[in-house]
C-alpha cells in the first residue's frame, strides 16, 4: 500500500485461537485521493496466487 501513498495504520485480522491471519486487513490512508488510487490499482490484482479484493470499509449497519 505504501507504493500508492502514505499509510497511517494497518490492522491485520487474526484468528483468536490460532493467531493465524484470516486473510484480510484494514489499512488507513490519510489522503483520500491516494486511497482511491490504491483501491483502483489493487482491486483484482493477484497476490500470492489469489486475486485481492480492495475496497473502502463501511461501518456496520
Amino acid at each position: 500500500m505504501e507504493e500508492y501513498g502514505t499509510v497511517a495504520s494497518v490492522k491485520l485480522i487474526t484468528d483468536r485461537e490460532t493467531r493465524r491471519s484470516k486473510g484480510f486487513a484494514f489499512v488507513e490512508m490519510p489522503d483520500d485521493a491516494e486511497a482511491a488510487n490504491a483501491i483502483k490499482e489493487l482491486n483484482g490484482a493477484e497476490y500470492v496466487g489469489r486475486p485481492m479484493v480492495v475496497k473502502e470499509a463501511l461501518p456496520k449497519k
Side-chain angles (χ1 to χ4, degrees):
M1 296 297 284
E2 286 180 332
E3 216 175 288
Y4 297 94
T6 303
V7 173
S9 70
V10 176
K11 172 76 175 172
L12 182 64
I13 307 305
T14 57
D15 183 275
R16 289 181 187 164
E17 292 178 18
T18 65
R19 298 192 182 254
R20 292 185 63 190
S21 170
K22 286 192 171 188
F24 66 99
F26 294 95
V27 177
E28 287 186 278
M29 297 179 81
D31 185 297
D32 289 343
E34 290 176 349
N37 185 49
I39 291 168
K40 184 180 120 202
E41 294 294 324
L42 294 174
N43 190 38
E46 192 172 298
Y47 180 74
V48 191
R50 295 176 56 188
M52 291 191 291
V53 175
V54 181
K55 59 185 178 181
E56 183 177 356
L58 301 174
K60 289 183 179 181
K61 291 184 180 182

